[in-house]
Amino acid sequence: MKNLIIVLLTLISSISLSAQRFSVSGTVQDTIGNELVAATVILMDTDSILIDYTLSDNKGYFIFKSLEAGKYLIKISYLSFYPVTLFIDLVDNNENVGIISMEEISTQLMEVVIKEAKAPLKLRGDTVEYDISQFRVPEGATLEALLRRLPGMEVSQDGSVLADGKNVTQLTVEGKTFFSEDPKFAIKNLPAEGVSKIQVFDKKDEEALLTGIAQNTEEKAMNIELKEGFKKGGFGKITAGGGIESRGELKGNYNKFDKKYQFSVVGVGNNTGRNGLSWDDYQDFMGSNTWGLFGDYEYGFGTGGGYGISITGSSGLENKIQDAFFSGDRGGFPTHINGGLNYNYDHKNTKLSSRYFFQRMGNEKETFTDSRNFLPNSFLENNRFESEDRLSGNHRAEFVVEQKVDSLFTIKVTADVALVGTEIDQFGHSNVLKNGLFVSNNSSFNNDSDLTGRLFSSSILARKQFKKRGRGLGANLTFLQTNVQENQIVFSDNFFFSDAGDVNQELLLRQWNDDMFNKKVISGNVMASEPLSKRIFFKTFYNLNIRQEEGLRMVEDQNSDGNLILDEFLSRNYDNQIMNQRLGTSLTYTHKGFNLTLGGAYQAFSLQGDYSAPNPSLFSGTVDNRFSSFIPYAEMRYPFSRNTYFNTTYTIDVREPGIEQLLPVIDFRNPLFIREGNPDLLPALSHRVSLFFNHSWPASGMRFSINTWYNYQENQIISEQFVDENQVTLSRPVNYTGGRNFSLYSSLTIPIKRNKLTMRFHGRYFGSRSFAFVNDVLNRTLTSGPGGTVGIDYTPSQNTTLFVSTNLAYTSTTYDINSGQDQNIIRNVHAFDFNTKILNGLYINSSLRYSIFSNQRFGINQHIPIANISIYKQILSGNKGEIRLSLYDAFNKNIMINQNTSATSVFDSRTFSLARYAMLSFSYNIRGMKAGVNQNIY
């Protein structure tokens, strides 16, 4: 890590000192000597390529720093004034151009001058507005390619967007939500030719909207304005393809916009595993932020609920509903049928947004897993094979309406509904060896699961602002209800061996589990904000969360006669209530972008409940835990300049245990690893310190950022395990203090030639100390590792792009109780993407991912090259058609590998997946595809 930091600092220093730097400054006035405040001042090279921009201050003064010697253009614009362009020749001194007088435009000439004097961007407060007509992109390019051309914007290969070094986490089209706020879907699917303007500004959370006080945030929001031609009529694309190995796909989207309405529809069907609605493939359909249940409605310290109160608990029942959407799609041979509708209405003071998603997913896969669980002075090696066939059908609908009663009073109502159903068939076998030599036990299993669930949530929010800046009153109420029913059949044959290799015990499990879970959550939040002066603001807030949970688990065993008998010792019913309250205040000092917030809150938990066997005389008990804590909060945000941003925070996150962790219910579904809850658990506290710094050099296009955080765990919920003489593990959660985590991430972007050749460096380091009890012996596990990425983006012309990168991740894990099992895991991925026009109208896209997995302890040294290539050509009138021939996994090497470590174990898994196949596809674009390089085709 030390070497990584030295390398980064050396790179920055060498680049910064490689050439002498100068500045250009001046003062903007009107013809009678009045200073023009907030005039837009743009610095360009002689080819009119944008280098930097700024606003004149309250004295009309502006300055550009750190410029190399050379020739520049400065363009100054101000509403209702003639724009001014200056030629600057920097030789060996700083340049002060003195007073620049701007002449007011007559009304008759206003329209003519505006049309003839377009600037590439405008500045209005914290908003940067790009005029897209001033930026060239290849014909047929997506919004993603356009963003790569804009100064201050960065787009990673997975579609993540940075603006001035800050993550863009919200994107709207014409001010309306486009399926989700996450930018990934929009930038991959919207055509660049339809974009008129792009506006980028600081993202506001609920508290900022309420108080009207702008705060420097680490997140940006983006709005896309369309050309008039794209606001009338529709645009979209449909693709159909078929290939060898019985592979096929059909997908399409259609969009229609006008000033009031927005309508979009998307559909995907394939058996290739590409472009589905899984968590890994969401960029082709929706964003990862779509599924938030409560939004940023929890007031407190201006973090949008980031103070750490857990609404759903660490193992909330609605996680089963989300798992039905996102699980089971990694590796294997998946099939998808997915679709969605998006409708928005925005007129005058009423905004309505609605979405519907449908997903039907199947997946067949086989996984081999080698794992080791560590005991004092020994270890258990488990070699497991599992075959799984999963089928799920899921629906989700979302509805939001926002009504402005007047300019200062807003009411917002939301409603979400989800229906899920999942069927899983599993069978397989496992062998457990003590110290990797002697067979301890083996088992075979055949399990079936059938889950159905419903989720409903709704909220109402009232936001009242006052004419006095900073005075506001907000309140909201949220209701959530989930109902889950899961029926499981658990069959397994388990044999336990003596040291001599003889069977000394056998367990034949024939079990039926019927589980029903019901949850209701009511969450209410109130906040008042009052300005104590022009720079100091006082806030007080109250959060209430009441969670009512009830459940019933009925376990039946099959006897030797084939009859089912209720197992009253494993069956349980429970009824619990968890109340979470928090009352807090904070003071915020703000001046010229500097924000300092100090606050504190008192938080109280009450966890009460009853549980019993079907016959209470056999087993019954209560949970009655109460816990309170004081939560301090301190935050400082300061933009040293428009290009330099700093933020540091300290707080305590409080997480109450989930109900499944609290209930002393025995989970016997895996007879070799039995789980049980603990009613004496306390909430876990995490002391967290974080720091973020970002600086960019607009003149050179270079950017550097560093993000680090440290957590210290108090009453952390860890695992306590007891392993008997048959190597059967009983696990229960307990509290322990002393865990900690540290993470450091840094990045450096160096444009070698603007808009053509860019190098990117990313460095990271993480470390953690975790604990677990094994047979009453405390095991301390230390995990750490450096990593990093070096990448090159090369775009020599509009028709050729090249992306090359190498990523190295190293993880070292040591165990107190068995140091002989210390692990070193290495994952190295080399990536190569090349896209170009090879003949008139003929294009080629290719990619190579060469992955190396290494773990000497397991004897693993796996090399996996995945190569894809595609040749395509536009056809039909107006290039509305495209025909594409693609080859996927040319070397036939696709396999999913997963390696990981925990406090008591390490494991490595390999899942066979869809490998080499070829496909011929045809696409039709309503408005015409035009020719161009498309980077993301896979």
Side-chain angles (χ1 to χ4, degrees), residues 853-874:
F853 300 89
S854 175
N855 186 339
Q856 293 183 357
R857 175 61 58 189
F858 273 99
I860 296 173
N861 188 20
Q862 186 90 40
H863 295 240
I864 303 177
I866 304 295
N868 301 324
I869 187 169
S870 176
I871 299 175
Y872 64 97
K873 179 179 176 58
Q874 274 76 42

Side-chain angles (χ1 to χ4, degrees), residues 582-601:
R582 194 180 71 134
L583 177 65
T585 61
S586 65
L587 283 176
T588 298
Y589 173 83
T590 178
H591 180 59
K592 293 184 177 180
F594 174 80
N595 287 275
L596 175 64
T597 299
L598 300 174

